[in-house]
Amino acid sequence: MIKAIQRRLGVTADGIAGPKTLAVIVEALQYKGMMKGENVCTWPAVQRAVGVTPDGVAGPKTFAAIAGKLDIHLPTMWPSQAEVRSNKSIFGFSGDESNLVNVSLPYPMFYEGKKLSTIRVHRLVANAVKDALTMVFRYYGAERIHELGLDVYGGSYNNRSTSTGKAKSMHAWGIALDFDPERNDYSTKKPKATLSRAECDIWWEIWESVGAVSLGRECNYDWMHVQFATL
């Protein structure tokens, strides 16, 4: 939630409600006439301006209110990995193929050299996946997509454990997708991983706009992977 606000306001999207983030939020609220005067660069002052309890705790309620006042679209908040692995989240049980649906692709993808027109994902993330890929196509176009390897598909649903074997992978619910796996495998880090490079920043921002999480952007490993579950 905070990262979406940080990106919109032009500060580093590190997820930390620090002084720089506070300052740009105050500046934005002042510009809209919602805060006035000096010495207002505090979280309680911001909270009073956006109509939440001024307890000084910059949490989800505060950021939701800030986003509403500044007309910032917040992505869907998906369950955490722990919730998903409990088999009690909105995604149900791992390995339940009755939850899977086919998504028509806005541009062709290739899986092990085979051309695809659809991919199979969990029904609850299907619209988000299609929206993200449509935005990718509109921004990059077919030629640039191919140049960057954004059409090299590594799969989604696979009822398996993680690479470390310690827990179920998000793929087991069909809520994770892999792209260009040969050049962005689990251990390849930035800048060697091709999807970590600057030309792919918009690719990741598009996925993040629908609430998806990049393990590469968050942890600098597994750059091929994007998932609809928080860490």
Side-chain angles (χ1 to χ4, degrees):
M1 190 177 292
I2 183 175
K3 288 184 178 181
I5 294 172
Q6 290 172 319
R7 290 190 190 97
R8 178 67 178 273
L9 298 180
V11 294
T12 302
D14 57 10
I16 299 171
K20 290 183 179 179
T21 296
L22 174 60
V24 296
I25 288 172
V26 168
E27 183 179 353
L29 291 171
Q30 287 176 327
Y31 180 79
K32 282 190 167 260
M34 297 175 189
M35 294 185 76
K36 295 181 180 180
E38 299 178 354
N39 301 318
V40 293
C41 201
T42 66
W43 285 115
V46 168
Q47 290 169 322
R48 281 189 287 269
V50 299
V52 298
T53 303
D55 58 9
V57 179
K61 289 184 179 179
T62 297
F63 293 123
I66 291 168
K69 294 295 185 183
L70 297 178
D71 299 319
I72 296 173
H73 169 73
L74 293 178
T76 300
M77 292 298 294
W78 301 100
S80 69
Q81 290 185 144
E83 290 175 287
V84 175
R85 287 175 176 141
S86 75
N87 285 318
K88 296 179 181 179
S89 79
I90 58 173
F91 296 128
F93 288 87
S94 62
D96 184 356
E97 296 191 29
S98 69
N99 280 322
L100 303 177
V101 297
N102 288 322
V103 174
S104 297
L105 298 174
Y107 59 88
M109 287 190 189
F110 300 87
Y111 178 76
E112 297 181 348
K114 180 182 177 181
K115 187 176 181 180
L116 305 176
S117 59
T118 63
I119 57 175
R120 195 165 65 141
V121 299
H122 195 289
R123 59 184 175 80
L124 295 182
V125 305
N127 287 339
V129 169
K130 187 163 187 175
D131 287 347
L133 293 174
T134 299
M135 286 188 279
V136 166
F137 182 60
R138 289 174 178 167
Y139 180 82
Y140 287 103
E143 183 176 349
R144 189 61 171 150
I145 284 172
H146 186 65
E147 289 173 356
L148 295 175
L150 307 181
D151 57 354
V152 179
Y153 188 56
S156 177
Y157 175 73
N158 188 347
N159 189 18
R160 63 170 176 81
S161 297
T162 61
S163 298
T164 61
K166 295 180 180 179
K168 276 285 188 180
S169 166
M170 295 297 103
H171 287 285
W173 285 265
I175 60 169
L177 303 92
D178 290 340
F179 295 92
D180 200 358
E182 288 191 8
R183 299 190 296 172
N184 299 275
D185 65 17
Y186 186 85
S187 59
T188 303
K189 300 184 182 299
K190 185 177 184 177
K192 187 176 180 180
T194 58
L195 292 178
S196 73
R197 297 170 185 170
E199 55 265 35
C200 293
D201 284 350
I202 300 299
W203 160 263
W204 292 120
E205 288 175 15
I206 287 170
W207 284 107
E208 289 163 353
S209 76
V210 295
V213 174
S214 158
L215 293 187
R217 298 251 282 190
E218 295 294 330
C219 307
N220 195 25
Y221 62 77
D222 209 2
W223 277 93
M224 64 180 156
H225 182 97
V226 61
Q227 66 182 43
F228 289 88
T230 60
L231 301 180

